[in-house]
Amino acid sequence: MGRGGDVDDEAGALRRFVREAGGCAVVDGGLATELEAHGADLHDELWSASCLASAPHLIRKATIQGFQARGLSRERSEALLRRSVHIAQEARAIFAEGWSKGPYANHRPSPRRPVLVAASIGSYGAYLADGSEYTGDYGISVTKETLKSFHRRRLQVLADAGPDLIAAASSDPITECTAVADACARVGAVGVNCTAPRLVNGLILYIRKVTSKPVVVYPNSGETYVAETKEWVESEGGASETDFVSCVGKWRQAGAALVGGCCRTSLATVRAISWALRESDYAVGGDEDRDDFPAVAVL
């Protein structure tokens, strides 16, 4: 989805994707969690974006300003952002080839599971690396113009890299945010990310009152992030992975069309989400043997 494309095509692509998927699809899980599981040290102000330079084979959202603060030139910073999209596209191609040429290829149906690549425009707080992305409290000195200036070039660079979608986050009240998104022809879906699972069902209902666009839910594990130590700790009333997955059917019934996981969710969580959606789909008359829920991979 480059800049200057047809508005209806850009916004309609995701809605067609969801419709052709049978009404729901899987969003990926917390990439930083998987990077750590594979040995990446993310105790860095760049967080998982540090892997774009040090371990691209092991990747997630990044900022031009963050790279520049580490001494990289603007040109190199922008090149690394483009690289994030290209790495995700390469991974998609490898998956498709493996699906068609793997040891069980002759026994598989033709692949019906498309994978879309979404470039994630993370919050300003993630760049600050002080935990404020979880509160939206950036202080009175940060104005709307500050945020527009911060995001503008990154959005341009990522859009020109050719992802299928742009995923952006906001910390405004949900009904206000949804109303703005609903009025924008370029917005294909509306939802919540990195939110405690216990809050998600109510948020879906709020969103559905304001828009008919597909609803995305991308909750975290329910734990609390401690900025001082850069660690996650168990929250009072937090959800385990089992509790998280047990909510998926309820979210689907409330109107969620795309379901995935954010911080502290894993590959196992995504796999369980897919199974839960399959069970929910079958419960309302879908295909019990279905194993091809399409996916949206968010950088």
Side-chain angles (χ1 to χ4, degrees):
M1 184 181 81
R3 288 181 291 136
D6 183 85
V7 173
D8 290 335
D9 283 349
E10 292 175 354
L14 183 57
R15 290 195 289 271
R16 287 194 300 274
F17 174 81
V18 172
R19 184 173 62 250
E20 292 169 4
C24 62
V26 177
V27 185
D28 67 357
L31 180 54
T33 306
E34 281 301 301
L35 290 175
E36 289 184 315
H38 285 276
D41 181 3
L42 302 185
H43 286 82
D44 188 291
E45 289 185 354
L46 290 178
W47 195 23
S48 47
S50 62
C51 292
L52 284 171
S54 64
H57 64 287
L58 284 178
I59 308 316
R60 193 173 165 163
K61 61 195 176 197
T63 70
I64 296 171
Q65 295 89 339
F67 286 129
Q68 288 182 301
R70 290 291 295 273
L72 279 69
S73 68
R74 186 174 186 85
E75 292 73 21
R76 176 60 173 157
S77 300
E78 292 183 0
L80 286 173
L81 276 188
R82 287 189 288 270
R83 188 181 194 182
S84 69
V85 176
H86 298 156
I87 288 172
Q89 292 168 332
E90 290 166 6
R92 174 175 59 187
I94 291 170
F95 167 78
E97 183 177 4
W99 180 262
S100 62
K101 296 183 179 180
Y104 303 105
N106 293 333
H107 304 286
R108 291 170 173 160
S110 59
R112 295 181 296 159
R113 53 170 82 184
V115 176
L116 299 181
V117 172
S120 177
I121 308 297
S123 66
Y124 180 73
Y127 156 67
L128 297 177
D130 61 0
S132 59
E133 67 267 37
Y134 299 105
T135 64
D137 182 8
Y138 304 148
I140 59 174
S141 64
V142 177
T143 65
K144 182 181 292 186
E145 289 305 313
T146 303
L147 296 177
K148 287 167 65 176
S149 176
F150 173 80
H151 289 298
R152 184 178 290 111
R153 181 56 185 161
R154 183 164 55 132
L155 176 58
Q156 292 170 341
V157 171
L158 287 171
D160 285 343
D164 301 298
L165 304 165
I166 296 291
S170 171
S171 58
D172 295 315
I174 190 66
T175 50
E176 293 179 20
C177 202
T178 303
V180 171
D182 186 64
C184 181
R186 288 186 180 271
V187 175
V190 186
V192 293
N193 81 307
C194 214
T195 302
R198 62 185 173 80
L199 302 175
V200 169
N201 199 69
L203 291 170
I204 295 171
L205 298 178
Y206 275 119
I207 293 169
R208 295 277 290 174
K209 290 179 180 178
V210 181
T211 185
S212 60
K213 292 182 179 182
V215 177
V216 187
V217 293
Y218 202 55
N220 57 37
S221 65
E223 296 167 276
T224 298
Y225 183 71
V226 181
E228 293 75 16
T229 59
K230 298 187 183 302
E231 295 177 327
W232 290 84
V233 298
E234 186 174 342
S235 302
E236 184 177 347
S240 66
E241 185 170 278
T242 302
D243 295 332
F244 180 113
V245 173
S246 70
C247 295
V248 171
K250 184 178 181 181
W251 298 336
R252 176 76 184 105
Q253 292 172 13
L258 297 116
V259 182
C262 199
C263 293
R264 302 286 288 174
T265 62
S266 65
L267 181 62
T269 312
V270 176
R271 186 178 295 115
I273 288 170
S274 181
W275 278 102
L277 284 176
R278 185 178 304 116
E279 292 176 359
S280 177
D281 186 59
Y282 177 65
V284 294
D287 184 355
E288 182 179 20
D289 297 321
R290 178 176 186 182
D291 66 350
D292 64 338
F293 277 105
V296 178
V298 182
L299 303 181

